[in-house]
Amino acid sequence: MQDKEIIEKIIQGDRELYGLIVDKYKNKVFGIIYSFCGQTCDCEDIAQNVFIKIFKALPKFKFESEFSTWMYRIVINESITVSKKNKYDTVPLDINNSEDEERSNIIDFLQSEDNTEESLIKKEIQGNLYKALAKLKDNYKTALILRDIEDYSYEEIAKMLGVSNDNVKIWIFRARAKLKEIILQGDCL
């Protein structure tokens, strides 16, 4: 069954089908929450609250966009709210491997771990990078996380955030530049 079919049946009263939605999207939802809030929060509780909010909001879904796009907007907004509320000063970076050769991902260099000394240096750099990411404006941080950490395309991010592809590209460009500036100035130490 397609999402639309499932959602229509849920709205009509077949609430048992909501488990299919949760099963289908739980990993991505959890990943987005973790990217914003990290280990300093209980991501499972936040994910559960997000799925409850989504369930309650289903009757408001108008099928004008993909369900996943609409749902991810809710997840992102809730993640930002929880992150601000709890004042998390780090952002975890579970780096996805990407086929996108053109991507200038500032965190790609953190993927290799050759020896213990390099491992310690990597952890220190990663910690500083987390702190630097936390200092970005929400729209920049959100776009950068969705692109470089969650590995969404510019088009997918634009749909999720309800902005143009050009805005997403600009935000990511500015986020990377600001991130570099923060790191070079030592503002994340």
Side-chain angles (χ1 to χ4, degrees), residues 27-44:
N27 291 336
K28 271 297 191 188
V29 167
F30 189 82
I32 291 170
I33 293 168
Y34 184 81
S35 293
F36 279 90
C37 302
Q39 294 173 333
T40 56
C41 71
D42 192 346
C43 294
E44 290 177 10

Side-chain angles (χ1 to χ4, degrees), residues 2-15:
Q2 298 294 329
D3 286 349
K4 182 178 181 179
E5 215 179 322
I6 295 170
I7 292 164
E8 286 172 342
K9 289 184 179 188
I10 293 169
I11 292 170
Q12 294 169 1
D14 191 351
R15 295 174 178 214

